[in-house]
Each structure stands twice: as C-alpha cells, then as structure tokens.
Amino acid sequence: MIQINLDEIQRDTSSFLKLIQEGNILVIVEGDRPIAEIKPIQSSTSSKQLRPFGLCAGEFVVPDDFNEPLPDEIIHQFETAGNCC
C-alpha cells in the first residue's frame, strides 16, 4: 500500500496509474488522514478459463427439422408482432 497526497498524484498521475496497473493500492491522504483508496480492478477476463468442449453433451437434442422453413402461421406472427399496439 502506497500513501500519497493530492499534490503528488496531480503532479505525476501517469506514474501512479502505472503503479496501480502493477497491482499496487494507493491511499490518498490529506495531512495524516486517509481520504481515498485507489486499487486495480480485478479483471474476470484474466482469470477466465475456457469451458471444456462437450460440457452439455446429451443434455438436449437438436430436432431433425431444425433447418426447415418455419410454418406460414409462425412467420405471419413475427411479421405482425410490432403492429399489435
């Protein structure tokens, strides 16, 4: 944890941002009293692991007619859905 005052952070903001990116926590003090804490955001993408292939195997089945055209009745419902109100 690094303590800094407002004058220091205003003079060299980019250096302090680099410290935060490196994982440091900054405590901004006024006099001897801490007034704020700045810390890096824990990114979920850095620790995100890929899901294994086939995780849901057997959970559901794609019907044989999946790629067949929709019935005219359903197409008509889609086309008129925005005209109801």
Side-chain angles (χ1 to χ4, degrees), residues 27-40:
V27 176
I28 300 174
V29 294
E30 189 172 44
D32 290 335
R33 194 179 103 235
I35 59 171
E37 181 178 272
I38 305 173
K39 59 184 177 178

Side-chain angles (χ1 to χ4, degrees), residues 14-28:
S14 60
S15 293
F16 288 112
L17 287 175
K18 285 179 186 176
L19 288 171
I20 295 166
Q21 288 174 329
E22 292 169 0
N24 294 292
I25 297 174
L26 302 183
V27 176
I28 300 174

Side-chain angles (χ1 to χ4, degrees), residues 70 72-83:
L70 292 171
D72 290 337
E73 179 184 313
I74 293 177
I75 292 173
H76 179 69
Q77 289 175 353
F78 276 108
E79 293 173 341
T80 59
N83 300 330

Side-chain angles (χ1 to χ4, degrees), residues 3 5 19-20 23 31 41 43 48 57 60 76-78 81:
Q3 289 192 358
N5 64 38
L19 288 171
I20 295 166
I41 295 173
S43 174
K48 188 175 183 179
F60 57 91
H76 179 69
Q77 289 175 353
F78 276 108

